[in-house]
Amino acid sequence: MRALPSHKGNATALTIAAGICAFALAGCTSSSHPSSNSSLASANASSTAAPASATAAPPDSSPGQAASLEAAFTSVVGKVLPSVVEIRTSSGLGSGIIFDDQGDIVTNAHVVGSATQFEVRLATGARSLKGTLVGSYPPDDLAVVKVNDASGLRPATFADSSKVRVGDIVLAMGNPLGLSSSVTEGIVSATGRTVTEPRDSTSPGATLANAIQTSAPINPGNSGGALVNLDAQVVGIPTLAAQDQQMGGAAPGIGFAIPSNTVKDIADQLVKHGKVVNSHRAALGVSVVTVIGPDGQPAGVGVVSVQSGGAADKAGITEGDVITAVDGTKTPTADALTTLLAQKKPGDRVSVSVTKPDGSTKQVSVTLGELQAP
């Protein structure tokens, strides 16, 4: 896999970054290209044959254990799937999770896009409801939609995602490729990932911190759905699938979800205020563009504008400066700079390497501010 190319000449506020790998949003399935069928596959553990001179060990699992795991899967699906909905816009569809008993549904910002009116279909298929946008927060790719009739809705239970561990069994529930109420399974492959969504018509390319990596298959239409543990609790919202740029298509078994603690925090703020009032995300307070050097390669991050009274302004960074490193880590592109900032917190003090318009260089100490809601 290779990195996405930098975007020469496009100024960006520092909520946008490029990941190490290429990613694809698991977002809206185009409504103009419905899929009639899809195959779902589980990963099977490989086994190694015992040497001829040895007696083969009996398998670890027994029919009773398999039945117990199967029963656990069935129970989780029965408890959680009614809380997962399909969200349709004029341009496509995605998934959502019933957040509370007031009719609020949390989903991805890239699922709602620029729409403000939605058709929400329940997993039971019994009702189709009208929904309106409560609020959207693209930097964390989260949004809340409210339906006009909350009667009979079953809110999901959200886990403490800080307790998620690598190896935990998880199920992904949503509407991949337009196949409503689909379920796939896998494990938590890693936690604490920093990943970046590709820019497209529905997403500005948000950088997501502390993402959960999972082997559960995630496909277009899964975005906004539920990644669930065996306690029937939502641990995250599936959002991205990695793309293999060499082989083409999705990289099997590498998907990412926004952790439930972030989901609860941002959704709560959107429900209460209609906007995010505390992002918990670090910011320099600048708009930037990738600068291309004489050799045609990215050479740093040019400052296009500086927020008055922001972190950069207070530290003496001005329009026309080029940021080349933060805490000794090079920032050849705006994407690289944003990825670094996503791993910081408001109030952190960092050393920023700057090249001034006259060619002189200096180290600037900056106390990071807080990213404001767009």
Side-chain angles (χ1 to χ4, degrees), residues 248-283:
I254 304 178
F256 300 92
I258 301 170
S260 56
N261 286 0
T262 300
V263 175
K264 289 184 291 182
D265 176 44
I266 298 301
D268 272 335
Q269 293 186 58
L270 291 174
V271 169
K272 292 177 181 177
H273 308 289
K275 62 180 181 179
V276 172
V277 297
N278 188 354
S279 69
H280 309 291
R281 295 177 65 116

Side-chain angles (χ1 to χ4, degrees), residues 99-364:
F99 187 66
D100 57 31
D101 59 7
Q102 302 302 306
D104 294 305
I105 294 169
V106 63
T107 184
N108 284 130
H110 76 260
V111 169
V112 303
S114 60
T116 58
Q117 302 292 322
F118 312 92
E119 179 184 357
V120 179
R121 298 183 179 182
L122 303 183
T124 59
R127 288 190 293 165
S128 180
L129 305 172
K130 297 299 182 182
T132 56
L133 182 66
V134 173
S136 179
Y137 188 61
D140 277 320
D141 195 11
L142 291 168
V144 172
V145 171
K146 192 178 188 71
V147 295
N148 59 347
D149 181 4
S151 60
L153 296 188
R154 185 190 298 182
T157 299
F158 288 80
D160 178 355
S161 55
S162 69
K163 297 180 179 179
V164 171
R165 297 291 180 264
V166 174
D168 287 350
I169 294 174
V170 287
L171 306 180
M173 303 183 190
N175 306 284
L177 306 177
L179 297 172
S180 61
S181 303
S182 293
V183 181
T184 57
E185 58 85 17
I187 64 168
V188 172
S189 306
T191 59
R193 295 295 199 201
T194 298
V195 295
T196 300
E197 298 175 353
R199 300 175 180 89
D200 62 18
S201 60
T202 60
S203 172
T207 298
L208 307 176
N210 297 316
I212 297 170
Q213 182 181 328
T214 178
S215 64
I218 295 174
N219 295 290
N222 266 124
S223 272
L227 189 69
V228 184
N229 62 23
L230 292 189
D231 290 324
Q233 299 172 329
V234 176
V235 299
I237 287 184
T239 301
L240 286 170
Q243 296 288 299
D244 188 331
Q245 296 296 291
Q246 294 181 341
M247 301 298 293
I254 304 178
F256 300 92
I258 301 170
S260 56
N261 286 0
T262 300
V263 175
K264 289 184 291 182
D265 176 44
I266 298 301
D268 272 335
Q269 293 186 58
L270 291 174
V271 169
K272 292 177 181 177
H273 308 289
K275 62 180 181 179
V276 172
V277 297
N278 188 354
S279 69
H280 309 291
R281 295 177 65 116
L284 270 173
V286 293
S287 293
V288 298
V289 63
T290 297
V291 174
I292 303 300
D295 60 356
Q297 298 300 311
V301 181
V303 177
V304 177
S305 64
V306 180
Q307 177 187 343
S308 178
D313 186 29
K314 292 178 180 178
I317 295 175
T318 61
E319 181 179 333
D321 289 350
V322 177
I323 298 171
T324 58
V326 173
D327 283 344
T329 300
K330 292 182 178 180
T331 57
T333 65
D335 295 337
L337 176 58
T338 305
T339 299
L340 281 174
L341 290 178
Q343 300 168 33
K344 305 293 184 180
K345 297 179 181 179
D348 284 353
R349 198 164 186 84
V350 298
S351 175
V352 179
S353 301
V354 175
T355 300
K356 306 298 285 187
D358 62 5
S360 63
T361 60
K362 63 185 301 186
Q363 297 288 323
V364 179

